[in-house]
């Protein structure tokens, strides 16, 4: 903040006028609703519509957040991949509770997910790993995610070394690379409205069914 207070973040505001969300707009299943909104986000050409903020908590109760790409979803849950030695993976090993958040600002929409993770099978991980671009496969071998490094040159040098090594043939799946499926317990859909009277609906799992409630903004 400048000394003469020329820039005050409290003054940054706008109205949300892109429409509303009524109960009649909702599907019975939250994943069907999510699929509808995700398609609309893609059609609107939003940058990285599958980008989600993934929140985990360490053993001391300290929360951490980072952006990860959603790679698959179905009735079993939502899937993402990561280095199993990463900070997020270590925290999920100790505490499998997780929160996901999709910030679709250009549509004045948000989707928030709460759930528990389970590790994907080696077959599922291998199938996805070999579908990635070859450079991305090599990058998985290069980075010991969340570990400290002295310079970027170490990464770049290792990448070139492995690129030469794997010039021919299939790149093997690293033993330290895997994925998670988020088993969904609740999913909230948020639509911005004028005068901050936003529309919010939350789906909560009740056995094999979903209970839907409107929340105050």
């Amino acid at each position: 903040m400048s000394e003469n207070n020329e820039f005050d973040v409290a003054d940054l505001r706008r109205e949300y006028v892109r429409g509303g969300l009524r109960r009649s707009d909702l599907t019975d299943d939250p994943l069907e609703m999510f699929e509808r909104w995700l398609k609309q986000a893609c059609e609107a050409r939003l940058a990285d519509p599958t980008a989600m903020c993934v929140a985990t908590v360490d053993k001391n109760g300290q929360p951490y957040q980072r952006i990860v790409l959603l790679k698959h979803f179905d009735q079993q849950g939502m899937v993402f991949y990561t280095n199993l030695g990463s900070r997020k993976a270590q925290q999920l090993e100790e505490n499998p509770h997780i929160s996901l958040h999709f910030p679709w600002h250009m549509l004045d929409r948000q989707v928030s997910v709460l759930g528990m993770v389970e590790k994907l099978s080696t077959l599922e991980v291998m199938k996805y790993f070999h579908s990635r671009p070859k450079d991305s496969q090599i990058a998985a071998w290069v980075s010991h995610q969340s570990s400290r490094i002295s310079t970027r040159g170490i990464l770049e040098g290792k990448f070139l070394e492995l690129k030469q090594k794997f010039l021919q043939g299939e790149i093997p799946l690293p033993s330290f690379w895997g994925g998670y499926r988020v088993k969904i317990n609740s999913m909230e859909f948020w639509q911005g409205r004028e005068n901050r009277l936003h529309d919010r609906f939350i789906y909560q799992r009740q056995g094999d069914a979903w209970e839907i409630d409107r929340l105050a903004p």
Side-chain angles (χ1 to χ4, degrees), residues 51-188:
M52 57 186 183
C53 180
V54 173
T56 56
V57 177
D58 71 10
K59 60 185 178 182
N60 298 316
Q62 173 64 53
Y64 289 81
Q65 300 177 75
R66 72 288 286 167
I67 299 297
V68 178
L69 297 181
L70 174 71
K71 286 303 177 182
H72 179 73
F73 67 95
D74 56 26
Q75 289 301 320
Q76 301 303 310
M78 294 180 160
V79 170
F80 67 92
Y81 296 87
T82 187
N83 186 306
L84 297 179
S86 66
R87 185 163 56 193
K88 75 175 82 62
Q90 293 172 13
Q91 291 168 356
L92 288 171
E93 191 69 28
E94 297 170 345
N95 182 350
H97 292 85
I98 194 169
S99 173
L100 311 176
H101 179 252
F102 296 84
W104 294 325
H105 302 300
M106 296 300 293
L107 298 176
D108 295 342
R109 288 176 174 175
Q110 304 176 58
V111 178
S112 300
V113 177
L114 296 179
M116 303 272 287
V117 298
E118 62 178 22
K119 281 185 179 178
L120 298 177
S121 69
T122 302
L123 184 61
E124 289 174 293
V125 173
M126 186 176 297
K127 182 178 178 181
Y128 173 70
F129 182 79
H130 290 302
S131 75
R132 305 177 83 202
K134 197 165 186 177
D135 283 356
S136 295
Q137 295 180 43
I138 294 171
W141 276 98
V142 170
S143 175
H144 296 285
Q145 200 174 91
S146 302
S147 63
R148 287 179 170 82
I149 56 174
S150 57
T151 67
R152 179 178 175 82
I154 293 174
L155 290 177
E156 294 173 342
K158 188 65 175 178
F159 180 84
L160 293 175
E161 176 188 330
L162 291 178
K163 191 166 186 176
Q164 185 64 33
K165 177 180 178 180
F166 295 131
L167 197 58
Q168 303 294 331
E170 189 174 76
I171 300 172
L173 172 69
S175 61
F176 52 81
W177 199 84
Y180 294 92
R181 177 176 288 104
V182 178
K183 309 291 285 186
I184 299 168
N185 294 325
S186 74
M187 185 179 293
E188 179 187 328

Side-chain angles (χ1 to χ4, degrees), residues 21-74:
L21 182 63
R22 298 162 296 185
R23 184 175 288 267
S24 59
D25 297 325
L26 304 177
T27 61
D28 292 334
D29 188 284
L31 280 162
E32 292 178 12
M33 188 68 189
F34 177 81
E35 182 177 19
R36 178 186 298 176
W37 271 24
L38 179 58
K39 285 181 177 178
Q40 291 172 356
C42 293
E43 290 166 357
R45 298 186 181 278
L46 268 61
D48 297 323
T50 60
M52 57 186 183
C53 180
V54 173
T56 56
V57 177
D58 71 10
K59 60 185 178 182
N60 298 316
Q62 173 64 53
Y64 289 81
Q65 300 177 75
R66 72 288 286 167
I67 299 297
V68 178
L69 297 181
L70 174 71
K71 286 303 177 182
H72 179 73
F73 67 95
D74 56 26

